């Protein structure tokens, strides 16, 4: 290994991969060579990273010769197939898919919350958390350490880019179709007519609508996204009995997942105490002054690193419960940034 | 009094008033004369109701001579001043403002839930519930009767028209400004720049955003809308100790308020039993087949009478809790329709 480890970015041409390259270009550099890898469809493309022009290589086992750390942002089934192949070659894989998150031999890491978990990785794979979990857990973890978390009731407001660039393009296409017709949204079905069949990755029109569905259908009517909020929160916080109920909803926002959180703790809470905890929490920005119009919103959080937290209130009927609202950039901390942060933890370890 | 009572519509030219006139024109007629009343600014306007051309009269005490029932849709402060004046003249006032809802001598009525409450009205005033409360309570009341409600955790997805026609116009104006620019929503502040200062009745841009605020600032960081969800639910369901936590959020939807509901009951629940209760509930339509893309959404619920309910799941970690999603037309059942229904209850009583 060189003094600075070699990094591979797998899925470099995708929506999150693009943000990974931006982050690698703007953060303090810890890497020697950076190698870009993607499917055969994208191989040969030229991309810029750290001011260098790089050619995308095709995803083959040999492409990882000499690589120390690989960040994967590819569909679950591609990770499921390729991460073990790459890990078996001695590469430490940081994977942003859902394929390995619940594997007991794969740590699920949010550096501000459980950075120590990165060290136990018998499969040479480290998982990155779901983008909706991420925004929320950044605010909840420091509150848990102060008050002892018992239960979460969550409702999400998820952006189109959670479904990739196809989701973003679909939302923009639909907005162009509905803008300018002032009668749309006032009669049943007229938005459906205007939007037509171009639903993209969504089960219904997203423009002028909210769609209470995200992910795949799981047993008992749950969506996969809702179950991830439960299982991943439990794993990251090391609270296997945490009670979690979530309803996941897609909204016509480009980027920035928001979550309305009702959190019940083991001890009494107070709103000002919670604000003080969050003011001191890493990766969190407190925006909580409704009188001045300050609350967390996607149009402000997009393109920034932290989770934006506000609307902090102690529940009227439960001195142990807090209500709050969180927004985070689902492509940055929710995906690319956290993956890069984990990879940097590994780089620091390798450099020792 | 004539065989058919005389009705006055106060605020006839407003956003909700317009829906009232549509409903009076399409429902089985129980009214003799219908009189339209508004502020001096709108007096003299011609409007159509039941196929008749009517001239809007100015709001004066004498305008109510011979009137039996008056439906008010005006700002709180106008109701506060005028409803008692009109009621003192023997007119039964059905008021859609928040001015009297929590007055113990004013019943707060949702006919499908507590129609008997209409009879105790010592002030001659009957109040109509808040539009967000309405969509939710239609689904929750029948479940309460089956399982015994203890607690609600609510997150709302509220449409622009909840802030009146000014809200709708503002959303359409903003959509026209942001549509067509595919970079908007991907960088911090660029939606704010595109929208400019035309925020209308909202504290922040609504297009491509969600705004976790609705109503006025109340103590301890709560919004008035959030506190209404608590106090009005308690009053309508006659559950003064009901635990309620709500976070109210405005979304870029024209009409149709949605609510993610986590409801905890006194006895064990099951999702299929809850679906059966809701199939038989008046004023409710069950849309709960995620596999076929069937869930409640504003683009389908707008312009219809019932509350659309779906995404019904028993909580994974609490056999006494249900998670569900509700959407209702905030201008119809959430405002005009319920007011008309209450007025019709009074008309039936007067006809006996």
């Amino acid at each position: 290994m060189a003094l600075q480890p070699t990094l591979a970015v797998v899925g470099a041409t995708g929506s999150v991969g693009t943000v990974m390259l931006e982050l690698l270009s703007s953060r303090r550099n810890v890497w020697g060579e950076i190698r870009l890898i993607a499917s055969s469809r994208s191989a040969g493309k030229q991309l810029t990273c750290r001011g260098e022009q790089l050619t995308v290589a095709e995803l083959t086992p040999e492409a990882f010769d000499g690589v120390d750390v690989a960040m994967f942002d590819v569909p679950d089934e591609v990770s499921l197939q390729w991460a073990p192949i790459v890990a078996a070659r001695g590469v430490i894989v940081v994977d942003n898919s859902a394929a390995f998150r619940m594997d007991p031999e794969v740590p699920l890491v949010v550096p501000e919350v459980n950075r120590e978990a990165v060290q136990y990785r018998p499969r040479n794979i480290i998982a990155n958390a779901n983008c909706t979990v991420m925004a929320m857990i950044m605010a909840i973890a420091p509150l848990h350490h102060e008050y002892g978390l018992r239960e979460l009731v969550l409702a999400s407001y998820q952006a189109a880019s959670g479904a990739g660039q196809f989701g973003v393009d679909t939302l923009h296409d639909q907005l162009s179709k509905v803008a300018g017709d002032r009668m749309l949204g006032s009669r049943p079905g007229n938005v459906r007519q205007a939007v037509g069949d171009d639903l993209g990755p969504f089960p219904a029109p997203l423009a002028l609508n909210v769609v209470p569905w995200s992910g795949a259908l799981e047993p008992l009517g749950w969506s996969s996204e809702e179950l991830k909020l439960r299982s991943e929160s439990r794993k990251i916080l090391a609270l296997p009995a945490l009670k979690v109920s979530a309803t996941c909803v897609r909204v016509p926002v480009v980027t920035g997942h928001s979550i309305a959180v009702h959190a019940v703790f083991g001890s009494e809470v107070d709103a000002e105490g919670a604000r003080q905890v969050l003011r001191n929490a890493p990766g969190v920005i407190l925006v909580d002054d409704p009188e001045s119009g300050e609350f967390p919103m996607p149009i402000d959080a997009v393109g920034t690193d932290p989770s934006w937290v506000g609307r902090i209130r102690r529940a009227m009927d439960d001195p142990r419960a807090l209500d709050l609202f969180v927004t985070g950039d689902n492509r940055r901390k929710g995906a690319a940034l956290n993956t890069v942060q984990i990879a940097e933890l590994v780089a620091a370890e390798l450099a020792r």
Side-chain angles (χ1 to χ4, degrees), chain A:
Chain A
M1 194 187 77
L3 211 64
Q4 287 189 310
T6 294
L7 175 71
V9 180
V10 185
T13 56
S15 161
V16 169
T18 306
V19 181
M20 286 177 175
L21 301 193
E22 282 174 32
L23 290 167
L24 290 169
S25 305
S26 60
R27 292 171 72 84
R28 193 175 68 82
N29 183 57
V30 301
W31 304 105
E33 186 192 349
I34 291 183
R35 211 175 285 182
L36 309 188
I37 296 175
S39 66
S40 57
R41 195 164 38 87
S42 296
K45 272 193 185 167
Q46 299 276 316
L47 293 174
T48 304
C49 184
R50 299 186 300 185
E52 300 165 50
Q53 189 92 323
L54 299 175
T55 304
V56 177
E58 186 180 342
L59 177 57
T60 61
E62 297 71 32
F64 295 89
D65 286 348
V67 169
D68 300 294
V69 180
M71 306 196 297
F72 273 58
D73 185 75
V74 293
D76 290 4
E77 61 277 14
V78 179
S79 277
L80 209 53
Q81 182 190 347
W82 280 92
I85 294 173
V86 174
R89 299 173 78 91
V91 180
I92 298 164
V93 173
V94 185
D95 181 36
N96 187 37
S97 84
F100 300 97
R101 286 180 193 150
M102 297 316 297
D103 184 324
E105 301 205 312
V106 172
L108 181 61
V109 178
V110 180
E112 294 86 346
V113 178
N114 64 340
R115 64 188 302 144
E116 68 293 347
V118 86
Q119 288 157 22
Y120 178 76
R121 46 172 196 259
R123 297 193 62 180
N124 251 7
I125 301 172
I126 303 164
N128 194 48
N130 168 274
C131 48
T132 313
V133 174
M134 196 78 76
M136 182 271 298
I137 212 83
M138 291 294 291
I140 283 301
L143 295 171
H144 163 54
H145 293 134
E146 185 74 17
Y147 301 119
L149 187 65
R150 293 286 187 274
E151 183 178 0
L152 290 172
V153 180
L154 309 169
S156 76
Y157 303 70
Q158 294 179 229
S161 67
Q165 191 58 39
F166 187 30
V168 175
D169 291 340
T170 300
L171 175 59
H172 279 300
D173 289 346
Q174 292 183 354
L175 284 176
S176 294
K177 287 180 184 170
V178 303
D181 183 344
R182 306 182 80 85
M183 293 313 294
L184 286 182
S186 62
R187 292 286 166 202
N190 66 3
V191 170
R192 282 189 186 272
Q193 278 189 325
V195 163
D197 293 333
D198 296 338
L199 303 181
F202 309 118
L206 193 54
L208 294 177
N209 200 22
V210 298
V211 181
W213 191 260
S214 172
L217 183 62
E218 299 284 347
L220 303 173
W222 295 92
S223 73
S224 54
E225 190 83 359
E226 288 157 355
L227 296 187
K228 285 174 189 172
L229 276 162
R230 179 168 176 265
S231 57
E232 297 186 21
S233 297
R234 288 174 158 201
K235 183 165 177 175
I236 296 166
L237 297 174
L239 290 173
L242 182 67
K243 295 166 75 175
V244 183
S245 267
T247 296
C248 287
V249 180
R250 193 78 69 175
V251 295
V253 162
V254 177
T255 292
H257 285 1
S258 306
I259 307 102
V261 181
H262 177 80
V264 186
F265 297 91
S267 59
E268 198 165 319
V269 297
D270 72 290
E272 194 42 47
R275 278 185 209 105
Q276 199 50 44
V277 166
L278 292 168
R279 262 184 214 110
N280 297 328
V284 166
I285 179 165
L286 183 72
V287 241
D288 196 8
D289 186 0
E291 202 155 14
S292 317
E294 281 190 17
F295 14 73
M297 291 185 292
I299 59 166
D300 298 321
V302 60
T304 72
D305 287 350
S307 270
W308 294 51
V309 188
R311 295 301 325 280
I312 296 163
R313 296 145 288 159
R314 188 167 92 163
M316 305 278 285
D317 304 310
D318 186 348
R320 298 171 309 120
L322 284 172
D323 292 283
L324 47 102
F325 196 76
V326 185
T327 305
D329 186 319
N330 46 294
R331 298 196 314 159
R332 287 174 82 91
K333 184 63 182 174
L337 174 60
N338 200 68
T339 307
V340 169
Q341 286 177 304
I342 295 171
E344 288 171 352
L345 285 184
V346 175
E349 183 190 311
L350 296 179
R352 273 203 296 272

